[in-house]
Amino acid sequence: MNFKATVITNVEVSPGYFRLRLTAPQFFVTAASPGQFVMVRVSASIDPLLRRPFGIFDVGVMATEYPDVQQPFLDILYKVVGKGTAMLAGFHHGDQMEVLGPLGKGFGTGEPSEGKVLVGGGVGLAPLYYLARELVKESRVHLFAGGRGRDDVLCITEFERLGVETYVSTDDGTLGERGLVTEVLERYLANGTGAKTIYACGPFPMLKAVAEIAGRTGIPCQVSLEAYMACGVGACLGCVVKGRDHSEATPDYRCVCKDGPVFDHTELSWEQRL
Ligand SMILES: Cc1cc2nc3c(=O)[nH]c(=O)nc-3n(C[C@H](O)[C@H](O)[C@H](O)COP(=O)(O)OP(=O)(O)OC[C@H]3O[C@@H](n4cnc5c(N)ncnc54)[C@H](O)[C@@H]3O)c2cc1C
Ligand code: FES
């Protein structure tokens, strides 16, 4: 579904990272599920032409200045990396933009359990917040959050407010433990903590390391991928990645926008660069 959204707030939550709250129709809030994404038109002109994909950070309804009126909303957490996201950072309260979504296949929440483990790298934490909010209703949730430095580890307090147990690491040691988030995860799993499912989102090398750990430990694992997207709905094949059975003779491609962005880690070939 395509709709016109109005900016409620667009706040820099950490240097170079913004949290954008948009009005959304009630049917969007009802239809959305964790791990799905939206395609946002960041400019009314033809430059940039293509919409930009962003995971759904949160959805809900909020109070307004009128006692009996509630406003459905959609939150996006984004990092400024280029032209489109720089334009997005310039949006203010009351500005409008076109949004297409919710799109794609999100996370499967599975059976309630004590061992739901989330792993997020940098802005890869974005789709994990909405997932955590759903999972904590019935499960105990642990979050492993990593980033280059303290400015890249986002919204940890929000996860903690949900009751999520958090473990933080940074490459430069400016927040939490110094080192890779996957090293902290491995140590945690080695303690026999009874993890039942791993959910991961972040840079491809991090996802590959998480998939290796899941393969070794036999813990089911879902990963959320990023790829360049033009249409977001399975029409242009611009976002394909190699599936696990891919070879020159028998190509096996998956569309990140339609078959994903969330995949079981066993569905994919990890011998590719994204
Ligand atoms: C399903 C999905 C969900 C996403 N969710 C989020 C999110 O929640 N928050 C967020 O900040 N970003 C998210 N992204 C990435 C986001 O779409 C890109 O950062 C954005 O499109 C960049 O637009 P730009 O015009 O600013 O950058 P451009 O000027 O187009 O490119 C700037 C730099 O970013 C890199 N880049 C651009 N697009 C992508 C992409 N799709 N994947 C990997 N690298 C890219 C380019 O290689 C280049 O180095 C998501 C991507 C996908 C596919
Ligand atoms: S972005 Fe067009 S097919 Fe996925």
Side-chain angles (χ1 to χ4, degrees), residues 228-239 255 257:
Y228 292 99
M229 289 187 178
C231 71
V233 293
C236 72
L237 302 185
C239 65
C255 272
C257 67

Side-chain angles (χ1 to χ4, degrees), residues 114-143:
E114 288 300 294
K116 305 279 189 189
V117 172
L118 315 185
V119 189
V123 80
L125 279 175
L128 298 181
Y129 177 75
Y130 181 20
L131 174 66
R133 199 163 62 63
E134 290 301 310
L135 291 178
V136 292
K137 292 176 184 166
E138 294 193 311
S139 299
R140 188 132 174 257
V141 182
H142 306 262
L143 170 71

Side-chain angles (χ1 to χ4, degrees), residues 52-55 77-79 81-85 123 126 226-228:
R52 298 297 193 256
F54 298 97
L77 183 69
Y78 66 94
K79 180 181 183 181
V81 296
K83 190 167 190 174
T85 44
V123 80
E226 282 190 13
Y228 292 99

Side-chain angles (χ1 to χ4, degrees), residues 3-71:
F3 60 92
K4 194 157 264 181
T6 303
V7 175
I8 300 172
T9 49
N10 191 18
V11 181
E12 190 165 21
V13 292
S14 187
Y17 294 93
F18 288 75
R19 181 171 175 169
L20 172 67
R21 176 160 292 191
L22 297 169
T23 60
Q26 181 58 47
F27 60 75
F28 177 91
V29 173
T30 308
S33 68
Q36 289 190 295
F37 67 100
V38 291
M39 296 288 284
V40 176
R41 189 183 291 284
V42 297
S43 163
S45 78
I46 57 161
D47 184 28
L49 183 62
L50 298 177
R51 292 172 189 250
R52 298 297 193 256
F54 298 97
I56 299 173
F57 179 75
D58 203 7
V59 288
V61 285
M62 60 187 276
T64 66
E65 58 194 291
Y66 308 103
D68 297 332
V69 181
Q70 294 219 308
Q71 175 62 58

Side-chain angles (χ1 to χ4, degrees), residues 118-209:
L118 315 185
V119 189
V123 80
L125 279 175
L128 298 181
Y129 177 75
Y130 181 20
L131 174 66
R133 199 163 62 63
E134 290 301 310
L135 291 178
V136 292
K137 292 176 184 166
E138 294 193 311
S139 299
R140 188 132 174 257
V141 182
H142 306 262
L143 170 71
F144 293 81
R148 290 210 174 126
R150 61 177 308 130
D151 292 343
D152 305 298
V153 181
L154 310 164
C155 302
I156 292 301
T157 319
E158 261 102 328
F159 281 95
E160 287 174 345
R161 269 195 220 120
L162 294 176
V164 173
E165 202 167 313
T166 59
Y167 306 79
V168 173
S169 64
T170 47
D171 298 354
D172 63 5
T174 47
L175 191 68
E177 201 174 303
R178 180 193 291 268
L180 297 177
V181 67
T182 44
E183 293 166 355
V184 185
L185 172 70
E186 270 210 280
R187 236 184 15 254
Y188 169 83
L189 296 176
N191 287 338
T193 33
K196 294 286 189 298
T197 318
I198 300 174
Y199 305 88
C201 184
F204 191 74
M206 185 206 91
L207 296 181
K208 187 174 176 176

